[in-house]
């Protein structure tokens, strides 16, 4: 049986309860983990469980990045699936956005969709639109919520995303946003857009262009995005992600407490800026 994603409902409820937009990313790069985690039998399990237990009070959403788990093969997938179960146990009201950036042929997308939405049971997934509509629809037909890559925060995003379309006075990322808005009309409450926090003026323009769309905004914190500028540009329909700035802020044994303090600091900042 297909269950439609509850992402929007869960996010809105959590956002309004905490008066915050904080999405906590988990990117457990093995070489950067605290020694106490590396010395444990299962470093990724030890690290992510500590972070989740210490920071869940401030999480409006979670965003684990699957690449940091996949690199370890079976051990990594065990840690990934354990982490998702723990998130649901510790913070069942907090939606989980799996950052996987999948993009493939329709029959392959269907298999990805089944793994992430049925086997893992996450609330949302990041995907690439490069292969077109038929590579996205399988996620939606399965009831999932997708955040489609629009304008990303990395320096080379301009290589393709800011190319002007022939015959249209718009950038490629704007065309992607327009097409995703139309797809969202067919699949209400199932399509959002990834927009990098290093582009506040573009975020503002996209918000004017698509006032109802939900944005996932990475790039705040370690990547240099300014929180006040991002919130003013994006409004309440936004998940503002911080990963390394919270979760990898200490290598000491008390890294969980340090992460908790960092999450609280961002939480209080967002409270003051909440629209």
């Amino acid at each position: 049986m297909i269950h439609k994603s509850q992402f929007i409902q869960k996010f809105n409820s959590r956002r309004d309860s905490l008066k915050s937009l904080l999405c906590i990313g988990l990117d457990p790069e093995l070489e950067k983990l605290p020694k106490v985690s590396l010395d444990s039998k299962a470093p990724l399990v030890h690290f992510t469980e500590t972070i989740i237990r210490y920071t869940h009070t401030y999480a409006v959403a979670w965003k684990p990045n699957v690449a940091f788990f996949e690199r370890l093969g079976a051990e990594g997938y065990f840690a990934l699936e354990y982490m998702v179960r723990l998130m649901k146990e510790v913070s069942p009201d907090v939606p989980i956005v799996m950052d996987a950036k999948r993009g493939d042929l329709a029959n392959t997308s269907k298999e990805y969709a089944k793994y992430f939405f049925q086997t893992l049971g996450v609330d949302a997934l990041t995907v690439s639109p490069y292969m077109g509509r038929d590579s996205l629809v399988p996620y939606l037909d399965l009831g999932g919520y997708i955040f489609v890559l629009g304008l990303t925060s990395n320096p080379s995003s301009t290589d393709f995303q800011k190319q002007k379309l022939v015959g249209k006075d718009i950038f490629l990322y704007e065309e992607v946003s327009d097409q995703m808005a139309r797809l969202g009309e067919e699949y209400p409450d199932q399509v959002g857009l990834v927009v990098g926090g290093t582009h506040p003026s573009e975020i503002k323009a996209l918000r004017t262009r698509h006032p109802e769309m939900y944005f996932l905004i990475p790039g705040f914190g370690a990547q240099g995005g300014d929180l006040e500028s991002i919130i003013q540009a994006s409004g309440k329909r936004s998940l503002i992600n911080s990963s390394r700035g919270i979760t990898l802020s200490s290598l000491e044994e008390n890294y969980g407490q340090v992460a908790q303090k960092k999450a609280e600091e961002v939480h209080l900042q967002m409270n003051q800026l909440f629209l």
Side-chain angles (χ1 to χ4, degrees), residues 15-78:
R15 173 198 66 191
D16 295 343
S17 173
L18 295 185
K19 293 182 171 53
S20 172
L21 304 169
L22 177 58
C23 177
I24 298 179
L26 287 102
D27 302 353
E29 187 175 350
L30 201 62
E31 290 78 8
K32 295 181 179 179
L33 298 189
K35 186 174 185 300
V36 65
S37 292
L38 291 174
D39 288 345
S40 69
K41 291 182 179 179
L44 295 190
V45 169
H46 183 279
F47 177 79
T48 56
E49 179 161 8
T50 301
I51 293 295
I52 290 164
R53 293 195 184 279
Y54 273 101
T55 65
H56 70 91
T57 303
Y58 303 107
V60 176
W62 300 113
K63 187 180 75 66
N65 188 313
V66 70
F68 296 93
F69 299 86
E70 287 179 325
R71 65 170 283 189
L72 295 180
E75 178 187 343
Y77 273 103
F78 173 85

Side-chain angles (χ1 to χ4, degrees), residues 44-172:
L44 295 190
V45 169
H46 183 279
F47 177 79
T48 56
E49 179 161 8
T50 301
I51 293 295
I52 290 164
R53 293 195 184 279
Y54 273 101
T55 65
H56 70 91
T57 303
Y58 303 107
V60 176
W62 300 113
K63 187 180 75 66
N65 188 313
V66 70
F68 296 93
F69 299 86
E70 287 179 325
R71 65 170 283 189
L72 295 180
E75 178 187 343
Y77 273 103
F78 173 85
L80 176 72
E81 294 178 9
Y82 178 86
M83 177 188 63
V84 170
R85 290 195 301 271
L86 184 68
M87 286 174 170
K88 293 178 181 181
E89 174 191 316
V90 172
S91 53
D93 298 329
V94 179
I96 302 169
V97 181
M98 188 60 69
D99 191 358
K101 300 180 180 70
R102 295 299 194 243
D104 212 323
L105 297 172
N107 62 332
T108 309
S109 291
K110 182 176 66 175
E111 299 305 312
Y112 284 138
K114 286 180 178 179
Y115 176 64
F116 288 110
F117 292 129
Q118 292 185 343
T119 302
L120 280 188
V122 301
D123 299 285
L125 181 70
T126 60
V127 298
S128 170
Y130 193 71
M131 293 184 71
R133 172 195 165 92
D134 61 8
S135 69
L136 304 177
V137 166
Y139 301 103
L140 305 174
D141 283 343
L142 215 61
Y145 190 97
I146 58 174
F147 279 105
V148 179
L149 299 178
L151 180 60
T152 54
S153 57
N154 59 304
S156 296
S157 62
T158 55
D159 288 353
F160 298 111
Q161 297 162 21
K162 283 197 170 182
Q163 293 296 313
K164 281 283 182 77
L165 297 186
V166 175
K168 291 188 176 183
D169 190 29
I170 61 173
F171 293 112
L172 177 59

Side-chain angles (χ1 to χ4, degrees), residues 184-219:
E185 292 174 359
E186 295 178 53
Y187 295 89
D189 295 334
Q190 287 184 257
V191 182
L193 194 71
V194 177
V195 191
T198 51
H199 306 283
S201 60
E202 288 88 343
I203 293 174
K204 185 175 182 179
L206 283 168
R207 175 53 72 211
T208 300
R209 198 179 189 97
H210 304 295
E212 302 302 315
M213 186 176 282
Y214 282 73
F215 294 166
L216 171 59
I217 304 178

